Amino acid sequence: MVPGFSGIARRTLPDLADYRVNRPNIFLGLAGNVLSTNWPQLYGLRTYGGVNSTVPRRLYNLILALDPSEASGVLAGQPYSNSNSPLLSDLVGNGYGPHHMAARDPRPTALSRFMLFPNFSVQPNNKAALKRLQTPGFVARNELVLDKALAGMTPRPGRGALIHYTTIRYDHLTMALNSAGGMLLFDDIYNAGWKAYVDGREVPVLHADYAFMAAPIPPGRHKVVWVFTPQYFVKGAYVTAVGVVIFFILLGTFSTADRRRRYSGENVLPNG
């Protein structure tokens, strides 16, 4: 058992699936920065530290814009999830631990992994999106920043609301919504392998808050499913399919040529 993280602690924090933890080593009651970025997952903790301290470019740009001191540690290859920026902690969903000595303090301003936003803004490019997030007084729960507009989606006053989800598998997440509609934030780093389906129909997945994802949700009751398929798998399947087609084309070509040679030989009489 890890010191400071008993079964009681787990039961008193039922929303660890919805929020990330800042400074996981302090959260677990361990002295010093003894956790690599992979280990917190073994204890049911989600962090924005990635795997093997590998940081996606968009997340790095977001960290650089909002917490430059953290960005320097990322470049040095050090384990991160040690943000000192309240806004960065909000955006990455750090529900616990804004400060080094208060790692278990709940943070009510943090975004949950899934959150439905009635209010959103559309920015013309990535630079404008980052600038909007850096606006003094910007509150992450009050506005979702998108990279494009969608027909039929109009912002309304209101704050983002937590949406609970069910994990079928790590690559298959589901939830049931009954709402007035809005943009559903998925606060994981944007990846083209994630697809969103509303009542079985695929809907667009946009960049949200520069580094994350969002999908449009119409008013009413709906079942929403997020499914992940690695892009290398899609590309590999495409290459395999093309290879199979080429193989059968060549096989057909050689077979036809062989039949022609055999047919031609059967009808040629020997001299004499």
Side-chain angles (χ1 to χ4, degrees), residues 217-253:
I217 304 298
R221 294 181 179 272
H222 301 285
K223 179 181 179 181
V224 180
V225 178
W226 290 79
V227 178
F228 180 76
T229 304
Q231 289 301 288
Y232 63 79
F233 177 84
V234 175
K235 293 177 181 178
Y238 175 78
V239 171
T240 300
V242 171
V244 170
V245 171
I246 292 174
F247 171 78
F248 280 108
I249 291 175
L250 293 176
L251 181 63
T253 300

PDB file of all heavy atoms in Angstrom, residues 217-253:
ATOM      1  N   ILE A 217     -23.600  18.685 -29.336  1.00  0.00           N
ATOM      2  CA  ILE A 217     -24.686  17.864 -28.805  1.00  0.00           C
ATOM      3  C   ILE A 217     -26.007  18.610 -28.994  1.00  0.00           C
ATOM      4  O   ILE A 217     -26.177  19.723 -28.482  1.00  0.00           O
ATOM      5  CB  ILE A 217     -24.481  17.574 -27.301  1.00  0.00           C
ATOM      6  CG1 ILE A 217     -23.124  16.925 -27.052  1.00  0.00           C
ATOM      7  CG2 ILE A 217     -25.618  16.699 -26.777  1.00  0.00           C
ATOM      8  CD1 ILE A 217     -22.929  15.589 -27.711  1.00  0.00           C
ATOM      9  N   PRO A 218     -26.976  18.047 -29.720  1.00  0.00           N
ATOM     10  CA  PRO A 218     -28.275  18.704 -29.890  1.00  0.00           C
ATOM     11  C   PRO A 218     -29.112  18.603 -28.620  1.00  0.00           C
ATOM     12  O   PRO A 218     -28.834  17.783 -27.738  1.00  0.00           O
ATOM     13  CB  PRO A 218     -28.912  17.925 -31.042  1.00  0.00           C
ATOM     14  CG  PRO A 218     -28.275  16.575 -30.994  1.00  0.00           C
ATOM     15  CD  PRO A 218     -26.879  16.782 -30.486  1.00  0.00           C
ATOM     16  N   PRO A 219     -30.159  19.421 -28.504  1.00  0.00           N
ATOM     17  CA  PRO A 219     -31.025  19.345 -27.319  1.00  0.00           C
ATOM     18  C   PRO A 219     -31.731  17.989 -27.226  1.00  0.00           C
ATOM     19  O   PRO A 219     -31.947  17.313 -28.230  1.00  0.00           O
ATOM     20  CB  PRO A 219     -32.032  20.478 -27.552  1.00  0.00           C
ATOM     21  CG  PRO A 219     -31.390  21.380 -28.551  1.00  0.00           C
ATOM     22  CD  PRO A 219     -30.552  20.506 -29.418  1.00  0.00           C
ATOM     23  N   GLY A 220     -32.099  17.619 -25.992  1.00  0.00           N
ATOM     24  CA  GLY A 220     -32.864  16.394 -25.787  1.00  0.00           C
ATOM     25  C   GLY A 220     -32.057  15.277 -25.163  1.00  0.00           C
ATOM     26  O   GLY A 220     -30.958  15.483 -24.659  1.00  0.00           O
ATOM     27  N   ARG A 221     -32.646  14.070 -25.205  1.00  0.00           N
ATOM     28  CA  ARG A 221     -31.988  12.884 -24.657  1.00  0.00           C
ATOM     29  C   ARG A 221     -31.143  12.215 -25.730  1.00  0.00           C
ATOM     30  O   ARG A 221     -31.632  11.946 -26.828  1.00  0.00           O
ATOM     31  CB  ARG A 221     -33.036  11.887 -24.136  1.00  0.00           C
ATOM     32  CG  ARG A 221     -33.834  12.380 -22.943  1.00  0.00           C
ATOM     33  CD  ARG A 221     -34.832  11.319 -22.496  1.00  0.00           C
ATOM     34  NE  ARG A 221     -35.602  11.746 -21.343  1.00  0.00           N
ATOM     35  CZ  ARG A 221     -35.232  11.563 -20.088  1.00  0.00           C
ATOM     36  NH1 ARG A 221     -34.115  10.905 -19.820  1.00  0.00           N
ATOM     37  NH2 ARG A 221     -35.979  11.992 -19.093  1.00  0.00           N
ATOM     38  N   HIS A 222     -29.904  11.919 -25.387  1.00  0.00           N
ATOM     39  CA  HIS A 222     -29.013  11.312 -26.375  1.00  0.00           C
ATOM     40  C   HIS A 222     -28.015  10.383 -25.693  1.00  0.00           C
ATOM     41  O   HIS A 222     -27.614  10.601 -24.537  1.00  0.00           O
ATOM     42  CB  HIS A 222     -28.235  12.388 -27.145  1.00  0.00           C
ATOM     43  CG  HIS A 222     -29.108  13.350 -27.875  1.00  0.00           C
ATOM     44  ND1 HIS A 222     -29.768  13.017 -29.041  1.00  0.00           N
ATOM     45  CD2 HIS A 222     -29.434  14.634 -27.583  1.00  0.00           C
ATOM     46  CE1 HIS A 222     -30.463  14.068 -29.451  1.00  0.00           C
ATOM     47  NE2 HIS A 222     -30.275  15.051 -28.588  1.00  0.00           N
ATOM     48  N   LYS A 223     -27.615   9.362 -26.432  1.00  0.00           N
ATOM     49  CA  LYS A 223     -26.507   8.510 -26.028  1.00  0.00           C
ATOM     50  C   LYS A 223     -25.288   8.934 -26.832  1.00  0.00           C
ATOM     51  O   LYS A 223     -25.338   8.984 -28.067  1.00  0.00           O
ATOM     52  CB  LYS A 223     -26.816   7.032 -26.276  1.00  0.00           C
ATOM     53  CG  LYS A 223     -25.662   6.114 -25.878  1.00  0.00           C
ATOM     54  CD  LYS A 223     -25.976   4.649 -26.149  1.00  0.00           C
ATOM     55  CE  LYS A 223     -24.789   3.764 -25.748  1.00  0.00           C
ATOM     56  NZ  LYS A 223     -25.053   2.326 -26.015  1.00  0.00           N
ATOM     57  N   VAL A 224     -24.216   9.248 -26.122  1.00  0.00           N
ATOM     58  CA  VAL A 224     -22.988   9.700 -26.776  1.00  0.00           C
ATOM     59  C   VAL A 224     -21.905   8.658 -26.552  1.00  0.00           C
ATOM     60  O   VAL A 224     -21.722   8.164 -25.434  1.00  0.00           O
ATOM     61  CB  VAL A 224     -22.536  11.066 -26.220  1.00  0.00           C
ATOM     62  CG1 VAL A 224     -21.259  11.528 -26.922  1.00  0.00           C
ATOM     63  CG2 VAL A 224     -23.646  12.102 -26.391  1.00  0.00           C
ATOM     64  N   VAL A 225     -21.214   8.318 -27.612  1.00  0.00           N
ATOM     65  CA  VAL A 225     -20.134   7.330 -27.548  1.00  0.00           C
ATOM     66  C   VAL A 225     -18.882   7.926 -28.169  1.00  0.00           C
ATOM     67  O   VAL A 225     -18.939   8.527 -29.249  1.00  0.00           O
ATOM     68  CB  VAL A 225     -20.519   6.028 -28.291  1.00  0.00           C
ATOM     69  CG1 VAL A 225     -19.365   5.034 -28.268  1.00  0.00           C
ATOM     70  CG2 VAL A 225     -21.771   5.407 -27.673  1.00  0.00           C
ATOM     71  N   TRP A 226     -17.774   7.776 -27.468  1.00  0.00           N
ATOM     72  CA  TRP A 226     -16.464   8.149 -28.007  1.00  0.00           C
ATOM     73  C   TRP A 226     -15.665   6.865 -28.223  1.00  0.00           C
ATOM     74  O   TRP A 226     -15.541   6.046 -27.311  1.00  0.00           O
ATOM     75  CB  TRP A 226     -15.717   9.067 -27.052  1.00  0.00           C
ATOM     76  CG  TRP A 226     -16.302  10.445 -26.941  1.00  0.00           C
ATOM     77  CD1 TRP A 226     -17.394  10.807 -26.211  1.00  0.00           C
ATOM     78  CD2 TRP A 226     -15.813  11.635 -27.562  1.00  0.00           C
ATOM     79  NE1 TRP A 226     -17.632  12.157 -26.347  1.00  0.00           N
ATOM     80  CE2 TRP A 226     -16.664  12.691 -27.169  1.00  0.00           C
ATOM     81  CE3 TRP A 226     -14.740  11.923 -28.409  1.00  0.00           C
ATOM     82  CZ2 TRP A 226     -16.483  14.002 -27.602  1.00  0.00           C
ATOM     83  CZ3 TRP A 226     -14.547  13.229 -28.840  1.00  0.00           C
ATOM     84  CH2 TRP A 226     -15.413  14.255 -28.444  1.00  0.00           C
ATOM     85  N   VAL A 227     -15.119   6.698 -29.429  1.00  0.00           N
ATOM     86  CA  VAL A 227     -14.371   5.493 -29.782  1.00  0.00           C
ATOM     87  C   VAL A 227     -13.013   5.904 -30.341  1.00  0.00           C
ATOM     88  O   VAL A 227     -12.928   6.810 -31.175  1.00  0.00           O
ATOM     89  CB  VAL A 227     -15.132   4.632 -30.814  1.00  0.00           C
ATOM     90  CG1 VAL A 227     -14.310   3.410 -31.206  1.00  0.00           C
ATOM     91  CG2 VAL A 227     -16.485   4.205 -30.256  1.00  0.00           C
ATOM     92  N   PHE A 228     -11.973   5.234 -29.872  1.00  0.00           N
ATOM     93  CA  PHE A 228     -10.622   5.563 -30.330  1.00  0.00           C
ATOM     94  C   PHE A 228     -10.055   4.451 -31.196  1.00  0.00           C
ATOM     95  O   PHE A 228     -10.074   3.279 -30.816  1.00  0.00           O
ATOM     96  CB  PHE A 228      -9.692   5.771 -29.133  1.00  0.00           C
ATOM     97  CG  PHE A 228      -8.278   6.114 -29.527  1.00  0.00           C
ATOM     98  CD1 PHE A 228      -7.955   7.381 -29.984  1.00  0.00           C
ATOM     99  CD2 PHE A 228      -7.273   5.160 -29.442  1.00  0.00           C
ATOM    100  CE1 PHE A 228      -6.667   7.701 -30.353  1.00  0.00           C
ATOM    101  CE2 PHE A 228      -5.977   5.470 -29.798  1.00  0.00           C
ATOM    102  CZ  PHE A 228      -5.667   6.749 -30.252  1.00  0.00           C
ATOM    103  N   THR A 229      -9.567   4.822 -32.376  1.00  0.00           N
ATOM    104  CA  THR A 229      -8.854   3.907 -33.262  1.00  0.00           C
ATOM    105  C   THR A 229      -7.524   4.546 -33.612  1.00  0.00           C
ATOM    106  O   THR A 229      -7.509   5.633 -34.212  1.00  0.00           O
ATOM    107  CB  THR A 229      -9.648   3.636 -34.555  1.00  0.00           C
ATOM    108  OG1 THR A 229     -10.946   3.134 -34.215  1.00  0.00           O
ATOM    109  CG2 THR A 229      -8.922   2.625 -35.424  1.00  0.00           C
ATOM    110  N   PRO A 230      -6.403   3.943 -33.241  1.00  0.00           N
ATOM    111  CA  PRO A 230      -5.099   4.555 -33.540  1.00  0.00           C
ATOM    112  C   PRO A 230      -4.925   4.814 -35.024  1.00  0.00           C
ATOM    113  O   PRO A 230      -5.310   3.987 -35.867  1.00  0.00           O
ATOM    114  CB  PRO A 230      -4.097   3.503 -33.037  1.00  0.00           C
ATOM    115  CG  PRO A 230      -4.856   2.683 -32.047  1.00  0.00           C
ATOM    116  CD  PRO A 230      -6.275   2.663 -32.531  1.00  0.00           C
ATOM    117  N   GLN A 231      -4.358   5.962 -35.364  1.00  0.00           N
ATOM    118  CA  GLN A 231      -4.183   6.325 -36.761  1.00  0.00           C
ATOM    119  C   GLN A 231      -3.229   5.374 -37.473  1.00  0.00           C
ATOM    120  O   GLN A 231      -3.393   5.109 -38.664  1.00  0.00           O
ATOM    121  CB  GLN A 231      -3.678   7.767 -36.860  1.00  0.00           C
ATOM    122  CG  GLN A 231      -4.725   8.800 -36.486  1.00  0.00           C
ATOM    123  CD  GLN A 231      -5.966   8.713 -37.354  1.00  0.00           C
ATOM    124  OE1 GLN A 231      -5.933   9.075 -38.531  1.00  0.00           O
ATOM    125  NE2 GLN A 231      -7.061   8.236 -36.796  1.00  0.00           N
ATOM    126  N   TYR A 232      -2.229   4.856 -36.755  1.00  0.00           N
ATOM    127  CA  TYR A 232      -1.322   3.917 -37.412  1.00  0.00           C
ATOM    128  C   TYR A 232      -2.053   2.633 -37.787  1.00  0.00           C
ATOM    129  O   TYR A 232      -1.723   1.971 -38.767  1.00  0.00           O
ATOM    130  CB  TYR A 232      -0.113   3.606 -36.532  1.00  0.00           C
ATOM    131  CG  TYR A 232      -0.414   2.933 -35.222  1.00  0.00           C
ATOM    132  CD1 TYR A 232      -0.674   1.569 -35.158  1.00  0.00           C
ATOM    133  CD2 TYR A 232      -0.431   3.655 -34.030  1.00  0.00           C
ATOM    134  CE1 TYR A 232      -0.956   0.943 -33.954  1.00  0.00           C
ATOM    135  CE2 TYR A 232      -0.701   3.033 -32.825  1.00  0.00           C
ATOM    136  CZ  TYR A 232      -0.955   1.684 -32.788  1.00  0.00           C
ATOM    137  OH  TYR A 232      -1.239   1.066 -31.600  1.00  0.00           O
ATOM    138  N   PHE A 233      -3.109   2.285 -37.002  1.00  0.00           N
ATOM    139  CA  PHE A 233      -3.906   1.109 -37.339  1.00  0.00           C
ATOM    140  C   PHE A 233      -4.692   1.363 -38.626  1.00  0.00           C
ATOM    141  O   PHE A 233      -4.761   0.507 -39.510  1.00  0.00           O
ATOM    142  CB  PHE A 233      -4.864   0.778 -36.194  1.00  0.00           C
ATOM    143  CG  PHE A 233      -5.780  -0.382 -36.481  1.00  0.00           C
ATOM    144  CD1 PHE A 233      -5.359  -1.685 -36.276  1.00  0.00           C
ATOM    145  CD2 PHE A 233      -7.069  -0.165 -36.957  1.00  0.00           C
ATOM    146  CE1 PHE A 233      -6.186  -2.762 -36.535  1.00  0.00           C
ATOM    147  CE2 PHE A 233      -7.911  -1.235 -37.226  1.00  0.00           C
ATOM    148  CZ  PHE A 233      -7.475  -2.531 -37.021  1.00  0.00           C
ATOM    149  N   VAL A 234      -5.278   2.553 -38.742  1.00  0.00           N
ATOM    150  CA  VAL A 234      -6.045   2.897 -39.945  1.00  0.00           C
ATOM    151  C   VAL A 234      -5.130   2.901 -41.161  1.00  0.00           C
ATOM    152  O   VAL A 234      -5.456   2.346 -42.220  1.00  0.00           O
ATOM    153  CB  VAL A 234      -6.715   4.273 -39.768  1.00  0.00           C
ATOM    154  CG1 VAL A 234      -7.415   4.702 -41.056  1.00  0.00           C
ATOM    155  CG2 VAL A 234      -7.710   4.235 -38.609  1.00  0.00           C
ATOM    156  N   LYS A 235      -3.957   3.558 -41.007  1.00  0.00           N
ATOM    157  CA  LYS A 235      -3.015   3.613 -42.129  1.00  0.00           C
ATOM    158  C   LYS A 235      -2.506   2.220 -42.478  1.00  0.00           C
ATOM    159  O   LYS A 235      -2.355   1.880 -43.655  1.00  0.00           O
ATOM    160  CB  LYS A 235      -1.855   4.534 -41.775  1.00  0.00           C
ATOM    161  CG  LYS A 235      -2.260   5.998 -41.645  1.00  0.00           C
ATOM    162  CD  LYS A 235      -1.082   6.854 -41.225  1.00  0.00           C
ATOM    163  CE  LYS A 235      -1.505   8.315 -41.062  1.00  0.00           C
ATOM    164  NZ  LYS A 235      -0.384   9.173 -40.605  1.00  0.00           N
ATOM    165  N   GLY A 236      -2.240   1.409 -41.448  1.00  0.00           N
ATOM    166  CA  GLY A 236      -1.776   0.049 -41.694  1.00  0.00           C
ATOM    167  C   GLY A 236      -2.820  -0.789 -42.416  1.00  0.00           C
ATOM    168  O   GLY A 236      -2.488  -1.552 -43.329  1.00  0.00           O
ATOM    169  N   ALA A 237      -4.092  -0.629 -42.010  1.00  0.00           N
ATOM    170  CA  ALA A 237      -5.171  -1.362 -42.674  1.00  0.00           C
ATOM    171  C   ALA A 237      -5.299  -0.938 -44.130  1.00  0.00           C
ATOM    172  O   ALA A 237      -5.532  -1.771 -45.020  1.00  0.00           O
ATOM    173  CB  ALA A 237      -6.482  -1.131 -41.931  1.00  0.00           C
ATOM    174  N   TYR A 238      -5.126   0.379 -44.382  1.00  0.00           N
ATOM    175  CA  TYR A 238      -5.206   0.888 -45.757  1.00  0.00           C
ATOM    176  C   TYR A 238      -4.077   0.305 -46.600  1.00  0.00           C
ATOM    177  O   TYR A 238      -4.301  -0.169 -47.717  1.00  0.00           O
ATOM    178  CB  TYR A 238      -5.128   2.412 -45.746  1.00  0.00           C
ATOM    179  CG  TYR A 238      -5.078   3.030 -47.132  1.00  0.00           C
ATOM    180  CD1 TYR A 238      -6.222   3.155 -47.910  1.00  0.00           C
ATOM    181  CD2 TYR A 238      -3.861   3.482 -47.656  1.00  0.00           C
ATOM    182  CE1 TYR A 238      -6.167   3.705 -49.176  1.00  0.00           C
ATOM    183  CE2 TYR A 238      -3.805   4.043 -48.917  1.00  0.00           C
ATOM    184  CZ  TYR A 238      -4.953   4.155 -49.672  1.00  0.00           C
ATOM    185  OH  TYR A 238      -4.884   4.704 -50.927  1.00  0.00           O
ATOM    186  N   VAL A 239      -2.859   0.329 -46.061  1.00  0.00           N
ATOM    187  CA  VAL A 239      -1.711  -0.209 -46.800  1.00  0.00           C
ATOM    188  C   VAL A 239      -1.903  -1.701 -47.061  1.00  0.00           C
ATOM    189  O   VAL A 239      -1.612  -2.205 -48.160  1.00  0.00           O
ATOM    190  CB  VAL A 239      -0.400   0.046 -46.022  1.00  0.00           C
ATOM    191  CG1 VAL A 239       0.759  -0.706 -46.662  1.00  0.00           C
ATOM    192  CG2 VAL A 239      -0.096   1.539 -45.966  1.00  0.00           C
ATOM    193  N   THR A 240      -2.410  -2.420 -46.059  1.00  0.00           N
ATOM    194  CA  THR A 240      -2.652  -3.849 -46.224  1.00  0.00           C
ATOM    195  C   THR A 240      -3.681  -4.112 -47.310  1.00  0.00           C
ATOM    196  O   THR A 240      -3.503  -5.000 -48.160  1.00  0.00           O
ATOM    197  CB  THR A 240      -3.129  -4.468 -44.899  1.00  0.00           C
ATOM    198  OG1 THR A 240      -2.124  -4.269 -43.899  1.00  0.00           O
ATOM    199  CG2 THR A 240      -3.403  -5.953 -45.055  1.00  0.00           C
ATOM    200  N   ALA A 241      -4.768  -3.323 -47.300  1.00  0.00           N
ATOM    201  CA  ALA A 241      -5.812  -3.497 -48.313  1.00  0.00           C
ATOM    202  C   ALA A 241      -5.276  -3.231 -49.707  1.00  0.00           C
ATOM    203  O   ALA A 241      -5.564  -3.974 -50.654  1.00  0.00           O
ATOM    204  CB  ALA A 241      -6.986  -2.567 -48.001  1.00  0.00           C
ATOM    205  N   VAL A 242      -4.488  -2.163 -49.845  1.00  0.00           N
ATOM    206  CA  VAL A 242      -3.899  -1.854 -51.150  1.00  0.00           C
ATOM    207  C   VAL A 242      -2.971  -2.979 -51.588  1.00  0.00           C
ATOM    208  O   VAL A 242      -2.974  -3.401 -52.759  1.00  0.00           O
ATOM    209  CB  VAL A 242      -3.135  -0.509 -51.092  1.00  0.00           C
ATOM    210  CG1 VAL A 242      -2.338  -0.294 -52.373  1.00  0.00           C
ATOM    211  CG2 VAL A 242      -4.105   0.638 -50.877  1.00  0.00           C
ATOM    212  N   GLY A 243      -2.184  -3.500 -50.624  1.00  0.00           N
ATOM    213  CA  GLY A 243      -1.281  -4.601 -50.945  1.00  0.00           C
ATOM    214  C   GLY A 243      -2.021  -5.844 -51.409  1.00  0.00           C
ATOM    215  O   GLY A 243      -1.591  -6.515 -52.357  1.00  0.00           O
ATOM    216  N   VAL A 244      -3.139  -6.149 -50.752  1.00  0.00           N
ATOM    217  CA  VAL A 244      -3.939  -7.313 -51.140  1.00  0.00           C
ATOM    218  C   VAL A 244      -4.498  -7.144 -52.552  1.00  0.00           C
ATOM    219  O   VAL A 244      -4.468  -8.072 -53.377  1.00  0.00           O
ATOM    220  CB  VAL A 244      -5.075  -7.549 -50.128  1.00  0.00           C
ATOM    221  CG1 VAL A 244      -6.055  -8.594 -50.652  1.00  0.00           C
ATOM    222  CG2 VAL A 244      -4.505  -7.988 -48.786  1.00  0.00           C
ATOM    223  N   VAL A 245      -4.997  -5.932 -52.844  1.00  0.00           N
ATOM    224  CA  VAL A 245      -5.541  -5.664 -54.180  1.00  0.00           C
ATOM    225  C   VAL A 245      -4.458  -5.829 -55.240  1.00  0.00           C
ATOM    226  O   VAL A 245      -4.661  -6.472 -56.294  1.00  0.00           O
ATOM    227  CB  VAL A 245      -6.139  -4.242 -54.243  1.00  0.00           C
ATOM    228  CG1 VAL A 245      -6.498  -3.881 -55.684  1.00  0.00           C
ATOM    229  CG2 VAL A 245      -7.376  -4.155 -53.363  1.00  0.00           C
ATOM    230  N   ILE A 246      -3.272  -5.251 -54.981  1.00  0.00           N
ATOM    231  CA  ILE A 246      -2.170  -5.361 -55.937  1.00  0.00           C
ATOM    232  C   ILE A 246      -1.760  -6.817 -56.124  1.00  0.00           C
ATOM    233  O   ILE A 246      -1.489  -7.277 -57.250  1.00  0.00           O
ATOM    234  CB  ILE A 246      -0.965  -4.530 -55.466  1.00  0.00           C
ATOM    235  CG1 ILE A 246      -1.317  -3.031 -55.527  1.00  0.00           C
ATOM    236  CG2 ILE A 246       0.272  -4.800 -56.309  1.00  0.00           C
ATOM    237  CD1 ILE A 246      -0.251  -2.135 -54.954  1.00  0.00           C
ATOM    238  N   PHE A 247      -1.734  -7.588 -55.014  1.00  0.00           N
ATOM    239  CA  PHE A 247      -1.375  -9.002 -55.096  1.00  0.00           C
ATOM    240  C   PHE A 247      -2.308  -9.758 -56.028  1.00  0.00           C
ATOM    241  O   PHE A 247      -1.865 -10.513 -56.903  1.00  0.00           O
ATOM    242  CB  PHE A 247      -1.400  -9.620 -53.696  1.00  0.00           C
ATOM    243  CG  PHE A 247      -1.263 -11.120 -53.694  1.00  0.00           C
ATOM    244  CD1 PHE A 247      -0.023 -11.722 -53.877  1.00  0.00           C
ATOM    245  CD2 PHE A 247      -2.387 -11.929 -53.519  1.00  0.00           C
ATOM    246  CE1 PHE A 247       0.098 -13.105 -53.890  1.00  0.00           C
ATOM    247  CE2 PHE A 247      -2.265 -13.308 -53.534  1.00  0.00           C
ATOM    248  CZ  PHE A 247      -1.026 -13.901 -53.721  1.00  0.00           C
ATOM    249  N   PHE A 248      -3.629  -9.539 -55.857  1.00  0.00           N
ATOM    250  CA  PHE A 248      -4.587 -10.270 -56.687  1.00  0.00           C
ATOM    251  C   PHE A 248      -4.544  -9.796 -58.142  1.00  0.00           C
ATOM    252  O   PHE A 248      -4.764 -10.592 -59.064  1.00  0.00           O
ATOM    253  CB  PHE A 248      -5.992 -10.140 -56.107  1.00  0.00           C
ATOM    254  CG  PHE A 248      -6.246 -11.072 -54.963  1.00  0.00           C
ATOM    255  CD1 PHE A 248      -6.349 -10.612 -53.667  1.00  0.00           C
ATOM    256  CD2 PHE A 248      -6.364 -12.445 -55.178  1.00  0.00           C
ATOM    257  CE1 PHE A 248      -6.564 -11.477 -52.612  1.00  0.00           C
ATOM    258  CE2 PHE A 248      -6.593 -13.320 -54.124  1.00  0.00           C
ATOM    259  CZ  PHE A 248      -6.687 -12.842 -52.838  1.00  0.00           C
ATOM    260  N   ILE A 249      -4.250  -8.517 -58.353  1.00  0.00           N
ATOM    261  CA  ILE A 249      -4.102  -8.032 -59.738  1.00  0.00           C
ATOM    262  C   ILE A 249      -2.917  -8.722 -60.404  1.00  0.00           C
ATOM    263  O   ILE A 249      -3.009  -9.209 -61.541  1.00  0.00           O
ATOM    264  CB  ILE A 249      -3.923  -6.504 -59.757  1.00  0.00           C
ATOM    265  CG1 ILE A 249      -5.226  -5.816 -59.348  1.00  0.00           C
ATOM    266  CG2 ILE A 249      -3.471  -6.025 -61.139  1.00  0.00           C
ATOM    267  CD1 ILE A 249      -5.102  -4.318 -59.224  1.00  0.00           C
ATOM    268  N   LEU A 250      -1.780  -8.768 -59.687  1.00  0.00           N
ATOM    269  CA  LEU A 250      -0.595  -9.426 -60.245  1.00  0.00           C
ATOM    270  C   LEU A 250      -0.834 -10.916 -60.432  1.00  0.00           C
ATOM    271  O   LEU A 250      -0.420 -11.504 -61.436  1.00  0.00           O
ATOM    272  CB  LEU A 250       0.603  -9.193 -59.324  1.00  0.00           C
ATOM    273  CG  LEU A 250       1.109  -7.749 -59.235  1.00  0.00           C
ATOM    274  CD1 LEU A 250       2.232  -7.643 -58.210  1.00  0.00           C
ATOM    275  CD2 LEU A 250       1.584  -7.265 -60.602  1.00  0.00           C
ATOM    276  N   LEU A 251      -1.516 -11.536 -59.450  1.00  0.00           N
ATOM    277  CA  LEU A 251      -1.818 -12.956 -59.563  1.00  0.00           C
ATOM    278  C   LEU A 251      -2.674 -13.227 -60.790  1.00  0.00           C
ATOM    279  O   LEU A 251      -2.435 -14.172 -61.545  1.00  0.00           O
ATOM    280  CB  LEU A 251      -2.526 -13.437 -58.293  1.00  0.00           C
ATOM    281  CG  LEU A 251      -2.892 -14.928 -58.237  1.00  0.00           C
ATOM    282  CD1 LEU A 251      -1.623 -15.777 -58.265  1.00  0.00           C
ATOM    283  CD2 LEU A 251      -3.709 -15.235 -56.994  1.00  0.00           C
ATOM    284  N   GLY A 252      -3.667 -12.360 -61.004  1.00  0.00           N
ATOM    285  CA  GLY A 252      -4.526 -12.517 -62.174  1.00  0.00           C
ATOM    286  C   GLY A 252      -3.757 -12.315 -63.467  1.00  0.00           C
ATOM    287  O   GLY A 252      -3.971 -13.029 -64.455  1.00  0.00           O
ATOM    288  N   THR A 253      -2.851 -11.343 -63.472  1.00  0.00           N
ATOM    289  CA  THR A 253      -2.054 -11.070 -64.672  1.00  0.00           C
ATOM    290  C   THR A 253      -1.172 -12.251 -65.025  1.00  0.00           C
ATOM    291  O   THR A 253      -1.111 -12.696 -66.177  1.00  0.00           O
ATOM    292  CB  THR A 253      -1.187  -9.816 -64.455  1.00  0.00           C
ATOM    293  OG1 THR A 253      -2.041  -8.707 -64.180  1.00  0.00           O
ATOM    294  CG2 THR A 253      -0.348  -9.518 -65.690  1.00  0.00           C
TER     295      THR A 253
END
